[in-house]
Amino acid sequence: MAKAGCRGAAGRFVQQNRILEQHHPGASRHPSSSRRGKRFSSISPYWDSTGIRRRMTNQVRVRFAPSPTGYLHVGGARTALFDWLYARKTGGVFILRIEDTDTERSSDEMTTGILESMTWLGLTWDEGPFLQSDGVDRHRATAERLVESGHAYRCFCPAEAIEQKRQEAAARKTDFKYDRTCLRLGPEEVRGRLANGEKAVIRFKVPQGAVTFKDAVIGDITIAGETIEDFVLVRSNTQPTYHLSVVSDDIEMRITHVIRGADHVNNTPKQILLYQALGATLPVFAHVPLILGPDKTRMSKRHGATSVQSYAEQGIIPEAFRNFLALMGWSPGNDQELFDTEELIRCFSLEGISRTNAVFNPEKLAWFNLQYIQKLPDEKLIAYVKPEFEKAGLWKDEFQTEKYAWFCSMLALLRPRAKTLLEFPRQARMFIIDAVEFDPAAVEKSMNDPSIRRNLAALGQRLEALPDFTHDAVEATIRGLATELGIKPGALMSGARVALTGQSVSPGLIETMLVFGREKTISRLLHIGPQ
RNA sequence: GGCCCCAUCGUCUAACGGUCAGGACGUGGCCCUCUCAAGGCCAAAAUACGGGUUCGAUUCCCGUUGGGGCUACCA
């Protein structure tokens, strides 16, 4: 692929990668993840079993943190790709963390599916996958520290009451924020009510003043503190919430760059406030634009195929999908579109990320797929295509042994016509099965003239007499016979096409004959099947 | 409703004050040709609107409009 210069390294926003402070004094060991049966790697490299903190470096550490409430969708995959690319680009570490703290909606099957999709895409992670739920004790401890330091407080207000007020405010079309009733509670009262068994949440006490941060892709973003509600850190059932868990984990994992979807920009001020309250150094935030459906609304189930898995099932190859995804919201700054892995890594930069949402374009994906299919080495193509042939009941092991060369020559005919892997068995069928499956319309179109059978038989005889069954010899024979018969070569060829394949469309006739082989070609011309 | 963000061909995008606004997908035409593809060539197609700033705005500023996101004891 063309070697081209990429966007300069001088960034739109150059921000120093600072080392995150390790601030957790009594960081306990990661509990093992046997809670729900299935066990994912839970060995954390951040601190070893002796409790000795690892040497800190200024190495980039990025994470992809999907929640296993569904399959990996294209938006998530694109985010993961950018995370991965940035880590590879900088020689950093790519961490996978499963945010499964919503126990209601999370499932192990989804986690497995996400892992499979990432593997399919070749997005290999260096650490993890960690389960966020393994950190709940630490998350709770973090919240307690915030209460102790006066950054958070317990709130006894019933959720229903707040929800009702919220509804009322919405009906009135006015803004609603929790009124901080419980902020005024004295420590005695809090203790008393807790001792009484009253349920409480822990809320973050949002400080006065605006929060400003420099997003690596969007730029400066400022949000007035007054618009941020005292959000819940720990639920009344003691489950930590998202904001707390993410910040606690990102600090713990020493994440230097938070690259995630733009749907998180409004969460960022809350999280920044948490970092500050915890005395931790901020990571660089980079919010990548969203991927939209054709109707320009956020991709969802009603847009049809949105999971990575569904594209794999549709015969898209991972290299193509990845290349396509990379160009959704990122550009190298020039006209290059086809990138192999190394080029992609070399050219990728946060500066090249767009600020505009992108509409998913399946047609362009198909084009990328075609491009990649053309270039795939035979071995690799066969590996991709084999399962499809098996599904269609057309696979034979000899394709990889005695008939390997033949199989490759057939694939060569099919390639330029294949936009997806699924088309290979479909098109290869006529080369593999013994019978000819005649398409009535094709027969009607090219075989209705009674002379055509005679002519094809004549062609069969000539080919039989040919010393060498080669492309040039066959072509000369066909053209010669057509001239003698006073018909167009095309008429003879379309008849031969139907006699051989049963179809009116196929790869080049002569190439097709060569793949069928001399015997089959001649016998089909001499003895045209039914009809 | 409030808050945040965004705005170049239908779509993905290039342009970082001066270009005939470039490329790609898709679309149309032509070429190649035994059909279908692939490939080659050509074409149509955009700076949302209104104000500024400037010798000069796609580019900088403001407003309008449009779009998206967030607005939970979801993540």
Side-chain angles (χ1 to χ4, degrees):
Chain A
M1 291 178 198
K3 183 167 178 139
C6 318
R7 195 182 297 268
R12 220 188 283 156
F13 305 105
V14 183
Q15 207 162 333
Q16 218 195 330
N17 306 333
R18 277 162 308 182
I19 306 147
L20 291 178
E21 277 175 51
Q22 181 96 12
H23 74 289
H24 276 283
S28 60
R29 287 214 44 182
H30 242 54
S32 88
S33 60
S34 52
R35 194 163 50 82
R36 280 192 306 281
K38 177 123 184 174
R39 178 183 293 248
F40 299 100
S41 166
S42 62
I43 297 156
S44 170
Y46 312 116
W47 57 140
D48 63 25
S49 55
T50 60
I52 293 169
R53 198 186 292 159
R54 284 187 139 214
R55 189 172 58 87
M56 287 188 251
T57 65
N58 57 1
Q59 189 175 40
V60 166
R61 296 176 62 84
V62 298
R63 47 59 162 191
F64 175 57
S67 62
T69 54
Y71 295 104
L72 182 66
H73 56 94
V74 297
R78 200 273 316 264
T79 301
L81 209 212
F82 286 7
D83 276 306
W84 180 84
L85 284 171
Y86 192 66
R88 292 292 169 270
K89 167 89 180 183
T90 58
V93 179
F94 179 49
I95 301 161
L96 183 57
R97 184 175 72 218
I98 304 296
E99 309 221 318
D100 60 342
T101 50
D102 183 349
T103 51
E104 297 292 300
R105 302 193 301 145
S106 297
S107 76
D108 285 351
E109 293 76 69
M110 292 304 164
T111 302
T112 306
I114 289 168
L115 263 35
E116 279 171 5
S117 289
M118 290 191 57
T119 304
W120 179 76
L121 273 171
L123 304 182
T124 50
W125 50 94
D126 306 307
E127 295 179 9
F130 301 109
L131 292 182
Q132 184 159 64
S133 56
D134 286 343
V136 289
D137 291 340
R138 170 166 41 76
H139 304 155
R140 286 188 189 115
T142 304
E144 286 306 330
R145 276 182 38 225
L146 288 169
V147 171
E148 282 160 26
S149 62
H151 291 288
Y153 59 96
R154 286 186 207 274
C155 168
F156 297 92
C157 297
E160 304 76 45
I162 294 176
E163 186 49 36
Q164 195 187 331
K165 284 184 193 170
R166 212 184 292 280
Q167 303 273 338
E168 288 167 8
R172 258 181 285 120
K173 290 189 185 295
T174 57
D175 209 7
F176 174 80
K177 260 171 60 187
Y178 173 62
D179 60 12
R180 291 189 156 175
T181 302
C182 293
L183 180 57
R184 289 179 279 274
L185 264 32
E188 305 299 317
E189 183 174 359
V190 170
R191 222 169 300 133
R193 290 173 75 167
L194 245 25
N196 245 354
E198 262 195 76
K199 296 279 186 202
V201 299
I202 296 176
R203 281 185 187 274
F204 185 71
K205 183 180 159 193
V206 174
Q208 297 270 302
V211 180
T212 297
F213 67 101
K214 190 186 277 288
D215 187 276
V217 349
I218 300 169
D220 289 317
I221 296 173
T222 299
I223 290 169
E226 303 77 60
T227 65
I228 306 173
E229 182 175 46
D230 281 358
F231 54 98
V232 172
L233 258 22
V234 179
R235 302 183 180 97
S236 52
N237 67 1
T238 75
Q239 284 298 316
T241 64
Y242 165 72
H243 292 295
L244 207 217
S245 305
V246 184
V247 172
S248 179
D249 285 354
D250 283 346
I251 292 171
E252 185 66 34
M253 295 179 175
R254 306 193 335 274
I255 300 302
T256 60
H257 294 68
V258 173
I259 304 170
R260 61 191 355 177
D263 49 339
H264 286 290
V265 302
N266 288 291
N267 292 330
T268 307
K270 293 178 186 171
Q271 293 169 13
I272 286 175
L273 259 14
L274 281 173
Y275 274 93
Q276 289 170 343
L278 290 165
T281 307
L282 291 175
V284 172
F285 289 98
H287 289 96
V288 316
L290 269 19
I291 297 179
L292 274 24
D295 59 356
K296 302 216 179 178
T297 62
R298 219 231 266 242
M299 280 271 249
S300 65
K301 305 102 249 157
R302 72 198 154 76
H303 289 113
T306 57
S307 69
V308 169
Q309 186 183 302
S310 69
Y311 287 95
E313 286 163 1
Q314 285 173 49
I316 300 295
I317 66 175
E319 292 90 335
F321 195 67
R322 198 212 271 182
N323 195 152
F324 168 71
L325 237 33
L327 260 14
M328 296 282 295
W330 172 80
S331 157
N334 56 36
D335 290 340
Q336 186 176 355
E337 297 210 283
L338 264 8
F339 294 86
D340 62 36
T341 307
E342 290 69 37
E343 285 177 312
L344 207 48
I345 292 169
R346 184 164 53 80
C347 292
F348 185 78
S349 72
L350 261 26
E351 292 72 38
I353 297 176
S354 161
R355 286 171 298 273
T356 325
N357 291 166
V359 174
F360 188 85
N361 182 353
E363 252 127 33
K364 191 144 187 178
L365 206 211
W367 178 79
F368 273 108
N369 207 42
L370 181 103
Q371 297 303 313
Y372 274 86
I373 285 174
Q374 305 319 307
K375 286 180 216 145
L376 236 35
D378 285 334
E379 284 300 332
K380 206 145 189 211
L381 213 214
I382 292 173
Y384 279 145
V385 119
K386 182 176 174 182
E388 304 301 333
F389 275 82
E390 285 171 338
K391 269 182 237 162
L394 293 171
W395 180 258
K396 294 176 186 164
D397 286 336
E398 60 186 9
F399 294 159
Q400 281 178 309
T401 54
E402 309 97 80
K403 296 194 80 175
Y404 176 76
W406 175 83
F407 193 65
C408 289
S409 66
M410 182 191 69
L411 290 180
L413 288 194
L414 270 26
R415 275 186 202 249
R417 278 155 262 261
K419 278 191 171 160
T420 76
L421 258 19
L422 269 34
E423 285 168 57
F424 282 93
R426 210 177 288 156
Q427 305 295 330
R429 182 177 171 81
M430 64 180 173
F431 291 109
I432 296 172
I433 63 169
D434 285 326
V436 184
E437 295 171 326
F438 285 95
D439 169 17
V443 173
E444 172 68 22
K445 189 179 167 197
S446 305
M447 307 283 267
N448 58 354
D449 185 337
S451 65
I452 192 71
R453 285 163 189 268
R454 222 169 38 238
N455 296 341
L456 292 176
L459 176 60
Q461 284 160 8
R462 298 249 177 139
L463 291 176
E464 211 166 16
L466 220 50
D468 298 302
F469 196 71
T470 62
H471 185 284
D472 289 354
V474 171
E475 177 158 24
T477 304
I478 292 171
R479 292 186 186 282
L481 179 61
T483 307
E484 282 177 43
L485 294 169
I487 60 175
K488 287 194 207 162
L492 191 58
M493 290 173 99
S494 56
R497 169 170 290 109
V498 177
L500 280 168
T501 70
Q503 308 293 314
S504 56
V505 300
S506 81
L509 207 227
I510 298 157
E511 291 79 3
T512 300
M513 286 178 161
L514 294 176
V515 168
F516 272 126
R518 185 174 198 149
E519 302 301 312
K520 223 177 211 180
T521 299
I522 293 168
S523 86
R524 286 185 180 182
L525 288 172
L526 294 177
H527 318 287
I528 294 168
Q531 187 62 72

Coordinates of all heavy atoms in Angstrom, one line a residue, chain A residues 1-9 89 327 330-349, chain B residues 14 23:
Chain A
M1 N 0.8 -1.2 0.0 CA 0.0 0.0 0.0 C 0.9 1.2 0.0 O 2.0 1.2 0.5 CB -0.9 0.0 1.2 CG -1.9 -1.1 1.1 SD -3.0 -1.2 2.6 CE -3.7 -2.8 2.3
A2 N 0.3 2.2 -0.5 CA 1.1 3.5 -0.7 C 1.7 4.0 0.6 O 1.0 4.0 1.6 CB 0.3 4.5 -1.4
K3 N 2.9 4.3 0.5 CA 3.5 4.9 1.6 C 3.3 6.4 1.6 O 3.6 7.0 0.6 CB 5.0 4.6 1.6 CG 5.7 5.1 2.9 CD 7.1 4.5 3.0 CE 7.8 5.1 4.2 NZ 8.6 4.1 4.9
A4 N 2.7 6.9 2.6 CA 2.4 8.4 2.5 C 2.7 9.0 3.9 O 2.7 8.3 4.9 CB 1.0 8.6 2.2
G5 N 3.0 10.2 3.8 CA 3.3 10.9 5.0 C 2.0 11.1 5.8 O 0.9 11.3 5.2
C6 N 2.0 11.1 7.1 CA 0.8 11.3 7.8 C 0.9 12.7 8.5 O 1.8 13.4 8.4 CB 0.7 10.3 9.0 SG 1.2 8.7 8.4
R7 N -0.2 13.0 9.1 CA -0.3 14.2 9.8 C 0.8 14.4 10.8 O 1.3 13.5 11.4 CB -1.6 14.2 10.6 CG -2.1 15.5 11.1 CD -3.4 15.2 11.9 NE -4.4 14.7 11.1 CZ -5.3 15.4 10.5 NH1 -5.3 16.7 10.6 NH2 -6.3 14.8 9.8
G8 N 1.3 15.6 10.8 CA 2.5 15.8 11.7 C 2.2 15.5 13.1 O 1.1 15.5 13.6
A9 N 3.3 15.3 13.8 CA 3.2 14.9 15.2 C 2.8 16.1 16.1 O 2.3 15.9 17.2 CB 4.5 14.3 15.7
K89 N 0.8 2.9 19.1 CA 1.6 4.0 18.5 C 2.6 4.5 19.5 O 3.7 4.8 19.2 CB 0.6 5.1 18.2 CG 1.2 6.5 17.9 CD 1.5 6.6 16.5 CE 2.1 7.9 16.2 NZ 2.4 8.1 14.8
L327 N -11.3 4.8 9.7 CA -11.6 6.1 9.0 C -12.9 6.7 9.3 O -13.3 7.7 8.7 CB -11.6 5.8 7.4 CG -10.3 6.1 6.6 CD1 -9.1 6.4 7.5 CD2 -10.0 5.0 5.6
W330 N -11.6 9.4 12.0 CA -10.2 9.7 12.0 C -9.7 9.8 10.6 O -10.2 9.2 9.7 CB -9.4 8.6 12.8 CG -7.9 8.8 12.6 CD1 -7.1 9.6 13.3 CD2 -7.1 8.1 11.7 NE1 -5.8 9.6 12.9 CE2 -5.8 8.7 11.9 CE3 -7.3 7.2 10.7 CZ2 -4.7 8.2 11.1 CZ3 -6.2 6.8 9.9 CH2 -4.9 7.3 10.1
S331 N -8.7 10.7 10.4 CA -8.2 10.8 9.0 C -6.7 11.0 9.2 O -6.2 11.7 10.1 CB -8.8 12.0 8.3 OG -7.9 12.4 7.3
P332 N -5.9 10.5 8.3 CA -4.4 10.6 8.4 C -4.0 12.0 7.9 O -2.9 12.4 8.1 CB -3.9 9.6 7.4 CG -5.0 9.4 6.4 CD -6.3 9.6 7.1
G333 N -5.0 12.8 7.4 CA -4.6 14.2 7.0 C -4.3 14.2 5.5 O -4.0 15.3 4.9
N334 N -4.3 13.1 4.8 CA -4.1 13.1 3.4 C -5.1 12.1 2.8 O -6.1 11.8 3.4 CB -2.7 12.6 3.1 CG -2.4 11.2 3.7 OD1 -3.3 10.4 3.7 ND2 -1.2 11.1 4.1
D335 N -4.9 11.7 1.5 CA -5.9 11.0 0.8 C -5.8 9.4 1.0 O -6.6 8.7 0.4 CB -5.8 11.3 -0.7 CG -6.3 12.7 -1.0 OD1 -7.0 13.2 -0.1 OD2 -6.0 13.3 -2.0
Q336 N -4.9 9.0 1.7 CA -4.7 7.5 1.9 C -5.9 6.9 2.6 O -6.4 7.4 3.6 CB -3.4 7.2 2.6 CG -3.2 5.7 2.6 CD -1.9 5.3 3.3 OE1 -1.1 6.2 3.7 NE2 -1.6 4.1 3.5
E337 N -6.4 5.8 2.0 CA -7.5 5.1 2.6 C -7.3 3.7 3.0 O -7.9 3.1 3.9 CB -8.7 5.1 1.7 CG -9.2 6.5 1.4 CD -10.7 6.6 1.2 OE1 -11.1 6.2 0.0 OE2 -11.4 7.0 2.1
L338 N -6.3 3.0 2.3 CA -6.0 1.6 2.6 C -4.8 1.6 3.4 O -3.7 2.1 3.0 CB -5.8 0.9 1.2 CG -6.9 0.1 0.6 CD1 -8.3 0.2 1.2 CD2 -6.9 0.3 -0.9
F339 N -4.9 1.0 4.6 CA -3.8 0.9 5.5 C -3.6 -0.5 6.0 O -4.6 -1.1 6.4 CB -4.1 1.8 6.8 CG -4.2 3.2 6.5 CD1 -5.4 3.8 6.1 CD2 -3.1 4.1 6.7 CE1 -5.5 5.2 5.9 CE2 -3.2 5.4 6.5 CZ -4.4 6.0 6.1
D340 N -2.4 -0.9 6.0 CA -2.1 -2.2 6.7 C -1.9 -1.8 8.1 O -1.8 -0.6 8.5 CB -1.0 -3.0 6.0 CG 0.3 -2.3 6.1 OD1 0.6 -1.6 7.1 OD2 1.1 -2.4 5.1
T341 N -1.8 -2.8 9.0 CA -1.7 -2.6 10.4 C -0.6 -1.6 10.8 O -0.8 -0.7 11.6 CB -1.6 -3.9 11.1 OG1 -2.6 -4.8 10.7 CG2 -1.6 -3.7 12.6
E342 N 0.6 -1.9 10.2 CA 1.7 -1.0 10.6 C 1.5 0.4 10.2 O 1.9 1.3 11.0 CB 3.0 -1.6 10.0 CG 3.5 -2.9 10.5 CD 2.6 -4.1 10.1 OE1 2.0 -4.1 9.0 OE2 2.4 -4.9 11.0
E343 N 1.0 0.6 9.0 CA 0.8 2.0 8.6 C -0.2 2.7 9.4 O -0.1 3.9 9.8 CB 0.2 2.0 7.1 CG 1.3 1.7 6.1 CD 0.6 1.6 4.7 OE1 -0.4 0.9 4.5 OE2 1.2 2.2 3.8
L344 N -1.3 1.9 9.8 CA -2.3 2.5 10.6 C -1.7 3.0 12.0 O -2.0 4.1 12.4 CB -3.4 1.5 10.9 CG -4.8 2.0 11.1 CD1 -5.2 3.0 10.1 CD2 -5.8 0.8 11.1
I345 N -0.9 2.1 12.5 CA -0.3 2.5 13.8 C 0.6 3.7 13.6 O 0.6 4.6 14.5 CB 0.5 1.3 14.4 CG1 -0.5 0.2 14.8 CG2 1.3 1.7 15.6 CD1 0.1 -1.2 15.1
R346 N 1.4 3.7 12.6 CA 2.3 4.7 12.3 C 1.6 6.1 12.1 O 2.0 7.1 12.6 CB 3.2 4.4 11.1 CG 4.3 5.4 10.8 CD 5.3 4.8 9.9 NE 4.7 4.3 8.6 CZ 4.3 5.0 7.6 NH1 4.5 6.4 7.6 NH2 3.8 4.5 6.5
C347 N 0.5 6.0 11.4 CA -0.2 7.3 11.0 C -1.1 7.8 12.1 O -1.5 9.0 12.1 CB -0.9 7.1 9.7 SG 0.2 6.9 8.3
F348 N -1.6 6.9 13.0 CA -2.6 7.3 13.9 C -2.1 8.4 14.9 O -1.0 8.4 15.3 CB -3.1 6.1 14.7 CG -4.2 6.4 15.6 CD1 -5.5 6.5 15.1 CD2 -4.1 6.7 17.0 CE1 -6.6 6.9 15.9 CE2 -5.1 7.0 17.8 CZ -6.4 7.1 17.2
S349 N -3.0 9.3 15.1 CA -2.8 10.3 16.2 C -4.1 10.9 16.7 O -5.1 10.9 16.0 CB -1.9 11.5 15.6 OG -2.8 12.2 14.7
Chain B
rA14 P -10.9 15.6 7.9 OP1 -9.9 15.4 9.0 OP2 -12.0 16.5 8.1 O5' -10.1 16.0 6.6 C5' -9.0 15.2 6.2 C4' -8.3 15.8 5.0 O4' -9.1 15.8 3.8 C3' -8.0 17.3 5.2 O3' -6.8 17.5 5.9 C2' -7.7 17.7 3.7 O2' -6.4 17.3 3.2 C1' -8.8 16.9 3.0 N9 -10.0 17.7 2.7 C8 -11.2 17.6 3.3 N7 -12.1 18.4 2.7 C5 -11.4 19.1 1.7 C6 -11.7 20.1 0.8 N6 -12.9 20.6 0.7 N1 -10.8 20.5 -0.1 C2 -9.5 19.9 0.0 N3 -9.1 19.0 0.8 C4 -10.1 18.6 1.7
rG23 P -10.2 15.1 -6.9 OP1 -9.8 14.6 -8.3 OP2 -11.5 15.7 -6.7 O5' -10.0 14.0 -5.9 C5' -8.7 13.3 -5.8 C4' -8.7 12.4 -4.6 O4' -9.0 13.2 -3.4 C3' -9.8 11.3 -4.6 O3' -9.4 10.2 -5.4 C2' -9.8 11.0 -3.1 O2' -8.7 10.2 -2.8 C1' -9.7 12.4 -2.5 N9 -11.0 13.0 -2.2 C8 -11.6 14.0 -2.9 N7 -12.8 14.3 -2.4 C5 -13.0 13.4 -1.4 C6 -14.1 13.2 -0.5 O6 -15.1 13.9 -0.4 N1 -13.8 12.2 0.5 C2 -12.7 11.4 0.5 N2 -12.7 10.5 1.5 N3 -11.7 11.6 -0.3 C4 -11.9 12.6 -1.2

